[in-house]
Amino acid sequence: MRGDETAPWIGLARHRDRASEAATAMTSAQALLERSAPIELVAFELGVAERQLAEITGRDALGPIGEDVLGRIFSQFCIGK
């Protein structure tokens, strides 16, 4: 991709790898849709893509847990008191 001014630039090699893996999974999902494959297979491929992209953004693919959620959890369970 070097020299292609329209291609997005991703600095870290591991981020490039995860983006490539996500793109591959999305391409697989599209191919499955075009072949009228079971929707569970399409969902699986999209889940793979989501997990790869979550590694780039630092977000948990299973759902973000913010400080407020953790605060509520630990306020109800007084460990060591």
Side-chain angles (χ1 to χ4, degrees):
M1 277 204 248
R2 192 174 294 275
D4 183 358
E5 298 298 322
T6 62
W9 181 78
I10 301 175
L12 296 176
R14 66 183 173 87
H15 288 177
R16 286 192 299 273
D17 292 344
R18 298 302 83 77
S20 176
E21 292 161 1
T24 298
M26 288 186 284
T27 300
S28 295
Q30 181 179 9
L32 288 166
L33 280 172
E34 290 170 355
R35 293 193 318 248
S36 300
I39 197 70
E40 294 85 1
L41 295 177
V42 176
F44 176 80
E45 290 296 333
L46 292 175
V48 169
E50 179 186 20
R51 286 186 295 280
Q52 299 309 322
L53 294 174
E55 285 193 33
I56 295 171
T57 63
R59 296 183 66 186
D60 184 356
L62 300 177
I65 298 178
E67 291 295 322
D68 58 328
V69 173
L70 292 176
R72 282 185 275 157
I73 291 170
F74 287 110
S75 72
Q76 294 176 7
F77 299 98
C78 299
I79 298 173
K81 286 190 176 183

